[in-house]
Amino acid sequence: MKDIANIYVSDQDIQRYFRINGKDAVTISIYAEPSTNSLDLASRVKAVISNASLKSSTKYKINLIYDDTQFLSKEIKKII
């Protein structure tokens, strides 16, 4: 991710627990800066996730849970 984003790590008190298919999960949220092309950023993030998934051990799995650019893509296609 550091190739396409500024990474900020901060500690936070636990507010929620996340599980996917009954297994504990860690969530990472990615937000575009106002001047960033959201569709381009989403494409680049998906490529990083795909590449990381190929390199990760079988102990961890990377899932894309929510992508708010899907709606944006559909709306743009209506205009074009």
Side-chain angles (χ1 to χ4, degrees):
M1 279 300 192
K2 68 182 178 181
D3 294 335
I4 65 170
N6 294 320
I7 308 296
Y8 301 97
V9 178
S10 63
D11 292 332
Q12 189 176 31
D13 291 334
I14 296 173
Q15 297 174 342
R16 296 173 219 158
Y17 291 94
F18 293 93
R19 289 193 172 82
I20 298 174
N21 295 327
K23 296 184 179 182
D24 292 338
V26 174
T27 60
I28 299 173
S29 299
I30 299 170
Y31 300 96
E33 292 182 347
S35 62
T36 303
N37 178 326
S38 296
L39 296 175
D40 180 53
L41 176 61
S43 176
R44 293 167 62 191
V45 167
K46 289 174 189 175
V48 169
I49 290 172
S50 177
N51 189 31
S53 293
L54 294 173
K55 292 181 179 180
S56 70
S57 68
T58 56
K59 186 175 179 180
Y60 301 103
K61 185 174 180 182
I62 302 171
N63 295 316
L64 179 63
I65 302 301
Y66 178 73
D67 177 5
D68 67 353
T69 62
Q70 289 177 343
F71 174 77
L72 181 58
S73 293
K74 288 178 186 177
E75 293 302 307
I76 289 173
K77 288 178 183 176
K78 289 179 185 178
I79 297 169
I80 297 178

